[in-house]
Amino acid sequence: MAGSTAPLIGVLALQGGFEAHEQMLQGLGAQTAEVRVPRDLEGLDGLVIPGGESTTMALGVEREGLAEPLRRFAAAGRPVLGSCAGLIMLDREHLGVMDMRAERNAFGRQIRSFEADVQIAGLAGGPIRGIFIRAPWIAEHGEEVEIIGAVDGRPIAARQGRVLAVAFHAELGRDDRLHRLFLGLVERSLAGADAADGGR
Ligand code: GLN
């Protein structure tokens, strides 16, 4: 990010694995801020919704009055990355930011947690090692949702405009390419802010 100011990325920090996302983003030169109340969204260039427990996270979002501000944030064209429970939070039955329905704990009881190499469309350098922990898959989706990765034929990564969602924990391990892809969306949104976002 030479020559430009580091983007400021918020990480929803009500519950779950937000710290590992912050570390990965910082390692890539971004500034980070923890989001717990609507005011924390001000001035952010992008937002990460981490893994955790979507029921607890959804309760926290309601309690803090964050649902509508989060929807507005995404609707304004600011990039959002959701991972695992974060993917669930983005679906129709939660924030409704993506036109899809996540199936929770979809991989079943026997294989609650596993690792798999996932080929993500648009990600150069071969498959990414995905860490799946009681992960969801995408059970249904509308036309605007592009499936960019699958495991055993099940969609586990998707993109809708500037919103990215993956069912695995991209923040664990050393491979930071998904966060790079996300920061690329942030950079493009900042560069094209006038045209794409109606000016900011
Ligand atoms: N199973 C969790 C849920 O339903 C998600 C697990 C995770 O984020 N690792 O919210």
Side-chain angles (χ1 to χ4, degrees):
M1 258 151 260
S4 63
T5 332
L8 178 60
I9 309 298
V11 183
L12 188 66
L14 294 173
Q15 189 266 335
F18 51 90
E19 281 171 352
H21 281 285
E22 290 180 77
Q23 281 161 19
M24 197 160 254
L25 291 162
Q26 288 164 10
L28 291 169
Q31 292 178 269
T32 60
E34 295 181 355
V35 173
R36 294 190 177 86
V37 292
R39 185 176 69 243
D40 297 337
L41 290 168
E42 285 167 24
L44 298 181
D45 300 315
L47 177 78
V48 173
I49 306 183
E53 216 292 310
S54 55
T55 310
T56 312
M57 213 183 287
L59 285 171
V61 162
E62 284 307 319
R63 185 186 64 230
E64 301 300 337
L66 267 163
E68 202 43 46
L70 287 171
R71 284 188 199 108
R72 279 203 301 272
F73 186 89
R78 294 184 184 93
V80 178
L81 166 66
S83 107
C84 203
L87 177 150
I88 299 169
M89 292 298 295
L90 291 169
D91 91 345
R92 288 175 193 146
E93 290 170 10
H94 295 80
L95 294 171
V97 164
M98 293 181 82
D99 185 17
M100 64 180 192
R101 183 175 69 78
E103 181 80 29
R104 294 182 61 201
N105 303 322
F107 287 94
R109 289 183 158 257
Q110 281 83 0
I111 44 166
R112 290 161 76 85
S113 303
F114 61 97
E115 294 189 20
D117 289 323
V118 190
Q119 188 70 52
I120 302 286
L123 207 64
I128 191 165
R129 190 80 182 153
I131 300 173
F132 294 76
I133 304 172
R134 297 188 306 284
W137 65 47
I138 297 162
E140 282 170 50
H141 64 90
E143 274 175 20
E144 281 182 39
V145 174
E146 183 194 355
I147 299 301
I148 57 170
V151 162
D152 293 340
R154 303 294 189 172
I156 47 80
R159 176 173 171 178
Q160 181 173 348
R162 289 177 181 151
V163 183
L164 275 177
V166 295
F168 53 89
H169 286 265
E171 76 285 10
L172 303 176
R174 295 236 166 87
D175 198 332
D176 56 14
R177 283 177 296 150
L178 196 90
H179 287 74
R180 282 179 198 270
L181 182 71
F182 172 63
L183 289 176
L185 292 179
V186 171
E187 256 174 59
R188 280 203 291 286
S189 103
L190 290 172
D194 286 343
D197 301 338
R200 284 174 40 198

